[in-house]
Amino acid sequence: MMDKRTSLTLSLEIIWWVVTALVVVATQYPIHKAMYVWPFAGWNIIFVVTLITLARYIFLLEHTFIARRQVLKVVLLMLMFPITFVLINGLNQFLTFIEEKTWEPLTGHLPVADRRSIENYIWSEMLFFGAGSCIAAPAFAARMMLSIWRTRNRGTV
């Protein structure tokens, strides 16, 4: 049987994943409503999930299931190096596509009035979550390093 702390941690984790899913749906809805094809949907979802998840682990680590698991923290710390480069590559793919092909293949079918607003939305949303996730990954690695040190030397998270 689970103790109360484990139960509360699991409940909090589930709530955060539901909130993350709602944010993904809310950010993707305007794009999918306006576009026939959105080739960066996968990257977009990865950016949103990564930013929200890593940010909450950075700031709320003591309330997560990884708080006292040293080996898991070391593994996550090491994974952040390649993940950072993968995220940067994904953001670069989006930026390169827009620079080389412009918005025409994505929003060319829309009326001129709607085109500019959805392009601004996509640009802002992709850059916010993309750059945020690229920054959050190394910040999370630093937080893991700090937490490993604190747990080992002070008994805190």
Side-chain angles (χ1 to χ4, degrees):
M1 179 146 185
M2 282 195 280
D3 64 335
K4 188 171 181 172
R5 180 167 174 76
T6 305
S7 176
L8 289 172
T9 302
L10 182 62
S11 298
L12 187 60
E13 189 72 23
I14 290 168
I15 289 168
W16 270 110
W17 280 106
V18 168
V19 168
T20 303
L22 291 173
V23 172
V24 167
V25 169
T27 57
Q28 298 302 298
Y29 178 75
I31 298 170
H32 288 286
K33 184 178 172 196
M35 314 263 283
Y36 292 135
V37 176
W38 176 228
F40 298 100
W43 280 117
N44 203 339
I45 292 167
I46 289 169
F47 292 151
V48 173
V49 170
T50 301
L51 178 60
I52 292 172
T53 304
L54 294 183
R56 73 183 171 90
Y57 283 163
I58 289 168
F59 296 109
L60 302 172
L61 183 62
E62 65 190 72
H63 304 292
T64 67
F65 67 95
I66 63 174
R68 301 267 178 208
R69 292 184 169 86
Q70 293 291 79
V71 174
L72 181 57
K73 288 190 278 190
V74 170
V75 169
L76 290 172
L77 167 67
M78 294 302 175
L79 281 175
M80 287 307 112
F81 296 105
I83 287 173
T84 300
F85 291 107
V86 168
L87 292 168
I88 291 170
N89 183 46
L91 185 58
N92 185 52
Q93 286 177 18
F94 170 72
L95 296 172
T96 303
F97 180 90
I98 299 303
E99 184 179 315
E100 291 177 356
K101 298 182 181 175
T102 71
W103 288 97
E104 188 62 30
L106 299 175
T107 60
H109 66 283
L110 296 171
V112 177
D114 296 338
R115 187 180 304 169
R116 192 70 184 140
S117 65
I118 195 66
E119 288 171 1
N120 284 337
Y121 174 77
I122 292 170
W123 182 260
S124 301
E125 191 261 341
M126 282 291 284
L127 282 182
F128 176 78
F129 286 105
S133 64
C134 291
I135 294 167
F140 178 73
R143 179 65 172 103
M144 289 298 96
M145 199 177 315
L146 177 65
S147 178
I148 291 165
W149 185 88
R150 282 183 178 168
T151 302
R152 180 167 172 77
N153 295 310
R154 292 187 181 169
T156 63
V157 179

